Amino acid sequence: METLNSLFGAINGVVWGPLMLILLLGVGIYLQIGLKFLPIRKLGMGFSLLWKGRDAKSTQKGVPDKAGQDGEISPFNALMTALSATIGTGNIAGVATAIALGGPGAVFWMWITALVGMATKFAEAVLAVRYRETDSTGYHVGGPMFYIKNGLGKKWLWLGGLFAFFGAVAAFGIGNTVQSNSVADAMDATFGIPHWLTGVVIMVLAGAVILGGIKRIAKVAGKLVPIMGIAYVIAGILVLIVNASQIGEAFSLIFYYAFNPIAAAGGFAGAAVMAAIRFGVARGIFSNEAGLGSAPIAHAAANTKNPVRQGLIAMLGTFIDTIIVCTITALVILTSTVWQTGEEGASLTALSFDQALPGFGNQIVAIALAIFAFTTILGWSFYGEKCFQFLFGTRSIMLYRVLFVLAIPLGAIAQLGFIWLMADTFNAMMAIPNLIALALLSPVVFKLTKDYFAGKEILAGEELDHDK
């Protein structure tokens, strides 16, 4: 076990190291420039399409794709499914860790990562819808493994297989056992509920949804994600009203220490500018998953005729996750006086909420963490299932669902040091095949986008001149 820990520790240091972060940012910047900053310019249009895409039936007018139908879930629910997986512990614990290790300046670099990541998410969803397939049960399937296979050709099939392998394994860790363990810890610390009981409850609730497939997952996500997201933001705003006099200072700290080192104070060890950049970028990507290739698996099931329309909706996931939800967490932490005490992770966020809302703050964070983690389990179950299906066929789906559900209580009671390390490593390794595909298929993204805004809608499944 020591050897495995050392091996995965060394690999993790590379895959989440500076080179990977440069690669993730580099591809995102390239796509943002190639798209002429369209994801930022068309943000309002994205929200408009999201509102119109609440009903799957509204997108069914016109010509369906080559599968004879448009998709299984509404564009709105596709985004909610993707957000169910991204809005999670990263928004509560990840932001706190970034500030604890990188200082307030890390928040600025989280914002930059999100603005760049919007282009990455846009491209991922465009390609996911453009190159999706229909499986033997009539459901749409897509994501990096399929746009590698259908966009780059059969000679690249091994790269799609690698992505699917990393995704199927990572889902059991980052999207399952780690989440149930985080909830069990929070429930035990706040309400005294035993770990095993939390695990069983989550297993029953999640199992009832997961075993029903994407339509049930999307239906639950479409209801739960907006409610939980809005409730958390409102709770954060209440804290900021209490701490209103400190908001200006918090923004000053963020912008100043993004470019200047911060000295040690109290329990805070201090941080160089490179630490602010590194932890801001790493935690930002961990939170919004732009470039990892997970979200396009959900967007491939969207009931939409045009890839660009879904891309405009998909990019909102990064904006909502990081620019809105993570910023609320960051401001709550920075307007409190506890961020320099040496605490980090979810406990720092809980202390910050509790300082402004004594007796309630801890409970708000514990409940938010539980709901966020629960929806993350739902979203990642679908991601892992589609990766497993790509590797072993449609008949393997139910086996994966059952194993995924049974792993939930095990995660709640286990010591997860090695599992966390392994899952975190595979999570990052998902990005490598995906980023290669995004770079190589970027001309397709640029052409589809240009044609769409020129009034030439190219539907999912139609041939591009570029492909002929």
Side-chain angles (χ1 to χ4, degrees):
M1 185 56 75
E2 253 183 66
T3 306
L4 280 174
N5 265 309
S6 300
L7 176 63
F8 274 96
I11 297 171
N12 190 270
V14 174
V15 295
W16 277 119
L19 285 176
M20 173 59 80
L21 300 182
I22 290 168
L23 182 62
L24 282 160
L25 281 179
V27 171
I29 291 168
Y30 165 68
L31 291 169
Q32 193 70 272
I33 293 171
L35 291 165
K36 300 175 182 175
F37 297 93
L38 178 139
I40 296 172
R41 292 188 291 108
K42 299 293 183 181
L43 187 62
M45 183 180 182
F47 277 106
S48 174
L49 287 171
L50 176 65
W51 183 252
K52 292 174 184 174
R54 288 169 296 146
D55 180 9
K57 293 177 183 176
S58 68
T59 64
Q60 291 179 336
K61 298 171 184 176
V63 183
D65 69 7
K66 64 183 178 183
Q69 57 180 321
D70 288 305
E72 288 68 51
I73 59 178
S74 71
F76 177 87
N77 279 354
L79 177 62
M80 292 305 109
T81 302
L83 276 175
S84 73
T86 54
I87 296 182
T89 54
N91 298 82
I92 293 176
V95 176
T97 300
I99 293 172
L101 299 178
V107 179
F108 174 85
W109 295 107
M110 287 184 77
W111 292 341
I112 295 299
T113 302
L115 294 177
V116 169
M118 284 173 65
T120 310
K121 276 279 178 74
F122 173 85
E124 287 176 335
V126 167
L127 293 173
V129 175
R130 170 66 184 85
Y131 291 112
R132 67 187 178 183
E133 295 181 1
T134 306
D135 66 19
S136 59
T137 61
Y139 281 82
H140 283 73
V141 289
M145 55 283 199
F146 287 97
Y147 54 72
I148 289 170
K149 172 189 166 188
N150 298 326
L152 297 179
K154 295 292 174 67
K155 65 181 179 182
W156 290 90
L157 190 58
W158 62 272
L159 192 67
L162 270 183
F163 174 87
F165 172 72
F166 294 144
V169 175
F172 272 97
I174 216 81
N176 185 325
T177 52
V178 168
Q179 302 296 330
S180 61
N181 195 265
S182 297
V183 178
D185 280 344
M187 292 295 104
D188 185 30
T190 308
F191 303 108
I193 299 172
H195 280 63
W196 70 266
L197 182 57
T198 299
V200 170
V201 171
I202 297 173
M203 178 185 71
V204 172
L205 293 176
V209 180
I210 291 168
L211 296 177
I214 181 57
K215 288 187 178 180
R216 195 178 298 172
I217 291 171
K219 190 175 180 180
V220 172
K223 299 287 192 299
L224 199 54
V225 171
I227 292 171
M228 74 171 190
I230 291 169
Y232 182 74
V233 168
I234 289 172
I237 289 172
L238 287 176
V239 172
L240 295 181
I241 290 171
V242 174
N243 297 342
S245 61
Q246 299 299 316
I247 294 175
E249 177 65 16
F251 277 107
S252 296
L253 291 172
I254 290 168
F255 286 107
Y256 182 79
Y257 290 116
F259 305 99
N260 296 279
I262 178 170
F268 178 70
V273 175
M274 277 309 299
I277 296 172
R278 180 187 172 191
F279 291 109
V281 172
R283 294 298 96 184
I285 290 166
F286 177 77
S287 178
N288 61 50
E289 298 180 12
L292 296 188
S294 50
I297 299 173
H299 289 289
N303 193 312
T304 183
K305 299 185 298 295
N306 191 281
V308 175
R309 289 172 67 90
Q310 195 61 31
L312 290 166
I313 291 171
M315 71 186 190
L316 301 178
T318 302
F319 183 85
I320 293 168
D321 178 274
T322 307
I323 302 296
I324 297 178
V325 181
C326 285
T327 298
I328 288 290
T329 302
L331 290 176
V332 166
I333 291 169
L334 292 174
T335 55
S336 76
T337 57
V338 297
W339 68 272
Q340 293 181 323
T341 60
E343 287 285 349
E344 60 180 86
S347 60
L348 173 56
T349 306
L351 281 172
S352 301
F353 268 88
D354 207 55
Q355 188 185 57
L357 304 172
F360 298 101
N362 270 330
Q363 295 176 16
I364 288 171
V365 173
I367 293 168
L369 188 64
I371 298 173
F372 285 1
F374 176 73
T375 58
T376 296
I377 290 170
L378 299 185
W380 269 93
S381 73
F382 181 67
Y383 296 163
E385 171 191 309
K386 293 299 117 181
C387 289
F388 201 71
Q389 180 184 355
F390 183 83
L391 294 171
F392 300 107
T394 306
R395 290 184 178 180
S396 67
I397 290 175
M398 191 52 70
L399 171 63
Y400 189 89
R401 289 178 187 172
V402 170
L403 291 175
F404 194 89
V405 171
L406 291 175
I408 294 170
L410 297 178
I413 61 174
Q415 294 295 318
L416 292 183
F418 175 69
I419 293 175
W420 171 267
L421 181 62
M422 183 177 69
D424 193 39
T425 303
F426 281 133
N427 198 216
M429 289 174 77
M430 290 169 63
I432 298 171
N434 184 49
L435 292 171
I436 292 170
L438 288 176
L440 293 175
L441 291 171
S442 59
V444 178
V445 177
F446 300 152
K447 178 172 173 51
L448 283 168
T449 306
K450 183 180 177 182
D451 286 347
Y452 177 79
F453 285 100
K456 305 173 190 175
E457 288 203 26
I458 297 178
L459 308 181
E462 288 188 353
E463 288 293 325
L464 289 169
D465 290 338
H466 176 82
D467 298 331
K468 289 181 179 177

